[in-house]
Amino acid sequence: MTKHIFVTGGVVSSLGKGLTSASIGMLLERRGLAVRMQKLDPYINVDPGTMSPYQHGEVYVLDDGSETDLDLGHYERFTSSPLSRDSNYTTGQIYQSVINKERKGVYLGQTVQVIPHITDEIKACISKLAGAEVDVVITEIGGTVGDIESQPFLEAIRQFSRDVGAENCLYIHLTLIPYLKAADELKTKPTQHSVGQLRQIGIQPDILICRTERSLGKDECAKIALFCNVPVEAVIEEKDKDFSIYEVPLSLVDHGLDALIVKRLGLKTGEPDLSAWRDLVHRLRNPEHEISIAVVGKYAEHRDAYKSIYEALDHAGISNRAQVRVQRIHSQAVQREGADRLLAGVDGILVPGGFGERGIEGKVDAIRFARQRGLPFLGICLGMQCAVVEFARNVLRLEGANSTEFNKDTPHPVICLLNEQRAITDKGGTMRLGAQTTRLDAASRSMACYGADSIRERHRHRYEFNNFYREQFAAQGMNVTGTSPDGGLVEIIEIPDHPWFVAVQFHPEFKSQPTRSHPLFHGFIGAAVRRHSQRPERIAQAEETT
């Protein structure tokens, strides 16, 4: 029977349940087990697609077009678990499904209630991932124990153990052990209260993972074990990692978490093979180069808004043996202060996606700077569209060129609404979403990166390159090097006379992994490393060393 692991959080939010769940999944996979990952979110939105990046961080898109929580990005980066719309459910989706059933008469006149109807729906969603070919399903419960909106999910996972047998379920609680500087003490009381709330619901955690700034001593572990009713070996320290999140799985192994899980669930496995993971951490710690990349975005001050972008840059750094120093620059600041002032000295510029007019001119200025200075440039989604606008204005001399998203009356709509989007008025889940096929030009830089003439990448957009202008762009040196299979949609543009200028309509960051850097990010960072090594001061330093 498929085993189930439920990961809950207590004391405060943002402790890293998603990262911890992904790490557990990776460790079990490295032991040879088939793992599936799932996130249950307590908010009422049907999906994160209509939520502000400032509140929720990035919207992570899957191959099937599902707009999901950013924690699913951790799942894909750490594991090989196939993800689908069954991997992320929200309260909104649960209630929507139950209400639809009630309208259809499925409940045959029953009074529809949170228990059992909502909890049964939640349990059915969890069960969807189980199967003969699946050894373990890891389900992360969003929010914090004590949140009123989380209660139906916690009640559902309490019942789940009764349905499938306690021997097939494991409860892991992630909690915080705060350090009080004034008292010079680690405090366990918040964890005791958090576990107490879980036990009142009827869930006794099997394992406690304790986030902490300082290492736990034997006395603290013994105290936590006594008051939380767990064996002392089930109190697992997860100390803050100053260097990299990719050290988390190795730390959990060192504290025996994976061994404890397989023993508790009666799983027959070998020892985990972590050689590739240890190698990537070694590369991170011992880079041969150090470069600076400016990410010029609309949400630069909110790190989670471009979470996958930053991770993909790290992955490309690992594959190029380079330390990537990211400068997060708000596009409005570029608009106010100028690209020359804010972008001087960087080795490459990346302009990511976004929606709305705010900060667009700053993105355009940053792209002009990269194009004119020969700086390696990678544009993603809106970044590609801004690159088209910049080239139209400053090379084609099409005065007032713009996207109709920002100026419906522009005389030169070089970016316009997709035909399939023209009749759509609803916002949620209505964009061009999910994996789409792109055909690559054989002579393109993209083709050289991918090593294939056809690829599939994930999309999330409503606007596209206006084909009316395609010949004008090509005549002046900006080539369309990737299109949809029928040639109708522009997916990639390049400037072949530039050292490295590539912009794509899709989101390559969603398919990058620490052990397998995405080809475009690898190529971009490789170009930035070459640019850095060709700086006059670097050449002088090398000659002096010689």
Side-chain angles (χ1 to χ4, degrees), residues 257-269:
L257 176 62
D258 58 318
L260 188 61
I261 290 172
V262 298
K263 179 180 178 182
R264 169 66 177 76
L265 291 175
L267 296 163
K268 305 300 181 184
T269 75

Side-chain angles (χ1 to χ4, degrees), residues 456-500:
R456 283 181 66 78
E457 293 282 6
R458 299 173 190 175
H459 293 67
R460 185 174 184 255
H461 65 106
R462 297 186 191 277
Y463 291 81
E464 64 165 329
F465 184 103
N466 188 340
N467 285 318
F468 177 81
Y469 294 92
R470 191 185 289 194
E471 290 184 7
Q472 293 183 56
F473 276 79
Q476 294 298 318
M478 178 176 277
N479 294 342
V480 173
T481 59
T483 67
S484 56
D486 63 2
L489 297 177
V490 173
E491 301 281 21
I492 306 175
I493 58 170
E494 299 181 12
I495 300 178
D497 290 338
H498 188 280
W500 212 93

Side-chain angles (χ1 to χ4, degrees), residues 50-303:
T50 56
M51 298 172 71
S52 166
Y54 288 108
Q55 289 191 18
H56 190 266
E58 77 175 357
V59 176
Y60 191 83
V61 180
L62 304 181
D63 276 349
D64 66 5
S66 302
E67 294 175 289
T68 69
D69 184 83
L70 62 82
D71 279 329
L72 273 74
H74 288 310
Y75 301 167
E76 283 205 320
R77 286 188 283 272
F78 278 64
T79 77
S80 58
S81 171
L83 300 183
S84 69
R85 62 184 70 256
D86 290 331
S87 304
N88 190 200
Y89 285 95
T90 69
T91 294
Q93 289 173 307
I94 298 295
Y95 273 80
Q96 187 179 63
S97 177
V98 170
I99 291 170
N100 288 339
K101 289 179 180 178
E102 187 273 334
R103 294 288 83 188
K104 293 177 182 178
V106 172
Y107 300 116
L108 298 176
Q110 298 177 44
T111 300
V112 180
Q113 298 175 293
V114 174
I115 301 173
H117 302 97
I118 295 298
T119 52
D120 281 352
E121 188 71 21
I122 294 169
K123 289 188 291 182
C125 292
I126 296 170
S127 297
K128 285 180 180 179
L129 295 187
E133 75 287 358
V134 178
D135 296 310
V136 180
V137 174
I138 301 173
T139 301
E140 173 193 349
I141 309 299
T144 306
V145 172
D147 294 344
I148 190 169
E149 60 265 31
S150 297
Q151 290 180 6
F153 292 100
L154 296 173
E155 171 61 19
I157 66 172
R158 181 196 70 81
Q159 295 176 20
F160 200 88
S161 176
R162 294 172 58 86
D163 295 344
V164 303
E167 70 278 8
N168 295 313
C169 288
L170 183 74
Y171 298 100
I172 297 178
H173 190 54
L174 181 66
T175 182
L176 176 69
I177 308 293
Y179 170 72
L180 294 186
K181 186 176 180 180
D184 191 26
E185 288 181 351
L186 290 167
K187 292 295 183 180
T188 66
K189 187 65 72 176
T191 291
Q192 295 175 41
H193 284 305
S194 178
V195 173
Q197 285 184 301
L198 264 183
R199 294 172 70 186
Q200 286 177 5
I201 296 167
I203 297 173
Q204 168 61 56
D206 297 289
I207 297 173
L208 297 179
I209 299 180
C210 302
R211 285 291 307 273
T212 176
E213 295 179 47
R214 301 195 173 196
S215 295
L216 297 175
K218 291 183 179 179
D219 290 343
E220 284 93 1
C221 290
K223 186 176 181 180
I224 293 168
L226 176 64
F227 284 96
C228 296
N229 196 34
V230 298
V232 68
E233 64 269 19
V235 179
I236 305 295
E237 174 190 302
E238 189 178 308
K239 191 177 177 183
D240 294 351
K241 298 292 178 289
D242 296 328
F243 183 69
S244 170
I245 62 172
Y246 299 119
E247 294 180 299
V248 171
L250 301 180
S251 172
L252 294 177
V253 165
D254 291 342
H255 286 88
L257 176 62
D258 58 318
L260 188 61
I261 290 172
V262 298
K263 179 180 178 182
R264 169 66 177 76
L265 291 175
L267 296 163
K268 305 300 181 184
T269 75
E271 292 299 311
D273 180 5
L274 298 172
S275 55
W277 206 265
R278 294 187 189 280
D279 178 62
L280 81 86
V281 172
H282 175 77
R283 285 170 174 248
L284 270 171
R285 287 192 170 277
N286 300 277
E288 296 177 3
H289 317 279
E290 182 175 322
I291 61 170
S292 173
I293 299 295
V295 176
V296 182
K298 300 178 63 171
Y299 320 112
E301 67 273 35
H302 188 354
R303 184 176 178 87

